[in-house]
């Protein structure tokens, strides 16, 4: 607790159900669940009330793109590629930002170069 003045003490940290962020995420997830439930309800409502659902002659996405035989390997390979790229970039950032490397090292090099050119003895 921290003194706020006029005898009022305020908490400096809250976790779990006392935190504002916890309630914000809970409400967002509740809204998402409501939207998803309404979509599922709408699909089943129209499926049971309309004998011609989906209507004949409606153009859908290409069957090759929708079929699991093509979509699943493409999704898995895309996820593996993204994971590999993320891992490689993380390792590169660790190396670049490590001690004595990265932006700090480049800045020190630039300072030394400028000092040599404009420093004493010139």
């Amino acid at each position: 607790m921290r003194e706020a003045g006029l005898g009022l003490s305020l908490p400096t940290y809250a976790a779990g159900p006392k935190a504002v962020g916890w309630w914000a995420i809970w409400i967002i997830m509740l809204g998402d669940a409501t939207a998803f439930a309404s979509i599922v309800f709408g699909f089943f409502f129209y499926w049971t009330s309309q004998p011609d659902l989906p209507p004949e002659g409606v153009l859908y996405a290409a069957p090759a793109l929708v079929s699991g035989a093509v979509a699943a390997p493409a999704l898995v390979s895309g996820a593996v590629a993204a994971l590999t790229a993320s891992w490689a970039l993380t390792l590169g950032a660790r190396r670049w930002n490590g001690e004595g490397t990265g932006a700090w090292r480049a800045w020190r090099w630039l300072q030394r170069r400028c000092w040599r050119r404009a420093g004493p003895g010139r």
Side-chain angles (χ1 to χ4, degrees):
M1 301 296 272
R2 193 163 176 111
E3 184 65 31
L6 299 174
L8 181 65
S9 295
L10 300 173
T12 55
Y13 180 77
K18 293 182 180 180
V20 175
W22 188 88
W23 283 103
I25 294 297
W26 202 91
I27 291 169
I28 287 172
M29 295 303 290
L30 183 64
D32 289 346
T34 303
F36 180 72
S38 68
I39 290 171
V40 171
F41 170 79
F43 173 77
F44 284 111
F45 174 77
Y46 284 119
W47 183 47
T48 57
S49 66
Q50 300 292 326
D52 61 341
L53 188 77
E56 293 293 327
V58 175
L59 296 175
Y60 294 106
L65 296 176
V66 178
S67 79
V70 174
L75 289 174
V76 169
S77 64
V80 168
L83 183 64
T84 303
S86 173
W87 176 72
L89 288 171
T90 300
L91 290 181
R94 285 181 185 167
R95 183 174 177 207
W96 178 258
N97 294 326
E99 247 179 83
T101 61
W104 179 251
R105 185 175 179 184
W107 175 249
R108 294 296 296 161
W109 178 83
L110 183 63
Q111 282 181 331
R112 285 192 302 270
R113 283 293 206 194
C114 291
W115 179 255
R116 284 185 192 148
R117 291 182 192 266
R122 293 250 175 206

